[in-house]
């Protein structure tokens, strides 16, 4: 037994793991040592090339709980807003129901590209080549954090402070509603998160990531120059 005072679920799990390993495990920021998945990353790049896509936005349309799914009307609004910006969007899905929902959203918005069926490693490859992911609290959102892709988390029944990605390049929205409600969508108002809020946040996290990359390159260049001197 070990006391866990952390709020975020990853910090809670790390506290338990560090207690078990004592001083034999490094203590530092979150890191996710995923496999290389080289073949899957090549597959993702080839698929994007065939679609004529370069760093698209990705919208994950579904989730395991109905109360975690952003309303269809909001997803249509998001795609229409992206169409006005000439921003290409890939719609990711994980079940037959989500596949049909994605097709309906694309048809209504008259914009968007349906993602192919993917394994988790293939989805990691696709997210790794995307500018940003927009998703409810479900697997793809957390996979985006693991591969370092900027993301917008849309939270309702589960607290974003407990489950949400954090740090530069990530934003979470918390909708009002009943905590831990799995099925009754009338008790969780994910529609309170507007498409405009999400678009603005997506642009902000992309800019943050670009700024961070430029800063890292400048720092690397300065270090190299100092070493050469």
């Amino acid at each position: 037994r070990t006391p866990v005072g952390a709020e975020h679920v990853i910090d809670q799990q790390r506290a338990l793991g560090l207690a078990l390993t004592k001083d034999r495990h490094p203590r530092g920021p979150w890191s996710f040592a995923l496999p290389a998945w080289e073949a899957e990353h090549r597959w993702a790049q080839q698929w994007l090339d065939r679609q004529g896509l370069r760093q698209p936005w990705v919208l994950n349309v579904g989730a395991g709980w109905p109360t975690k799914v952003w309303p269809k009307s909001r997803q249509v609004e998001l795609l229409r807003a992206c169409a006005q910006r000439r921003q290409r969007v890939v719609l990711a899905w994980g079940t037959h129901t989500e596949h049909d929902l994605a097709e309906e959203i694309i048809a209504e918005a008259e914009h968007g590209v349906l993602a192919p069926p993917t394994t988790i490693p293939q989805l990691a490859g696709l997210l790794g080549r995307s500018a940003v992911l927009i998703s409810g609290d479900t697997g793809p959102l957390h996979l985006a954090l693991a591969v370092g892709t900027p993301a917008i988390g849309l939270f309702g029944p589960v607290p974003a402070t407990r489950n949400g990605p954090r740090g530069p390049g990530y934003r979470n929205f918390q909708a009002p509603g009943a905590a831990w409600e799995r099925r009754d969508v009338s008790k969780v108002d994910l529609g309170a998160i507007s498409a405009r809020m999400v678009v603005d946040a997506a642009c902000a996290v992309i800019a943050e990531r670009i700024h961070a990359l430029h800063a890292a390159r400048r720092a690397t260049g300065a270090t190299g120059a100092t070493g050469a001197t």
Side-chain angles (χ1 to χ4, degrees), residues 4 45 60 123 126 154 168 173 176 186 202 211 222:
V4 176
Q45 186 61 62
N60 180 51
L123 181 59
L126 184 60
L154 312 176
F173 291 102
S186 69
H211 177 77

Side-chain angles (χ1 to χ4, degrees), residues 50 56 70 76 82 91 107 161 172-173 175 185 221:
R50 288 195 299 272
W70 205 25
V76 170
C82 288
L91 279 73
T161 51
N172 298 308
F173 291 102
V185 296

Side-chain angles (χ1 to χ4, degrees), residues 33-208:
L34 296 178
W37 290 334
E38 294 178 359
E40 290 83 2
H41 281 264
R42 287 195 299 271
W43 170 89
Q45 186 61 62
Q46 291 166 359
W47 183 82
L48 289 170
D49 290 343
R50 288 195 299 272
Q51 306 301 317
L53 296 169
R54 184 176 181 276
Q55 290 194 316
W57 291 16
V58 177
L59 170 64
N60 180 51
V61 302
W65 300 2
T67 52
K68 290 184 176 184
V69 178
W70 205 25
K72 175 183 171 182
S73 60
R74 290 291 190 232
Q75 300 197 51
V76 170
E77 290 172 8
L78 176 77
L79 286 193
R80 288 175 176 166
C82 288
Q84 293 177 352
R85 300 171 56 88
R86 297 184 179 180
Q87 175 60 57
R88 305 287 299 278
V89 184
V90 172
L91 279 73
W93 53 276
T95 66
H96 292 300
T97 299
E98 292 176 7
H99 174 276
D100 294 346
L101 173 61
E103 286 191 324
E104 292 172 7
I105 293 168
I106 291 170
E108 288 191 30
E110 298 182 340
H111 188 65
V113 178
L114 185 69
T118 60
T119 62
I120 290 176
Q122 287 173 332
L123 181 59
L126 184 60
L127 292 177
R129 287 158 175 75
S130 301
V132 66
L133 169 73
I134 298 158
S135 175
D137 175 24
T138 189
L141 177 65
H142 311 301
L143 186 59
L145 174 65
V147 300
T149 297
I152 307 301
L154 312 176
F155 285 80
V158 176
T161 51
R162 179 186 186 274
N163 278 29
R166 69 188 186 196
Y170 302 96
R171 292 283 190 285
N172 298 308
F173 291 102
Q174 184 75 58
W180 303 104
E181 174 58 50
R182 289 173 175 262
R183 296 181 178 84
D184 190 345
V185 296
S186 69
K187 295 181 179 179
V188 180
D189 188 14
L190 271 177
I193 305 171
S194 72
R196 175 50 55 191
M197 292 163 61
V198 172
V199 168
D200 290 347
C203 293
V205 296
I206 292 170
E208 282 181 6

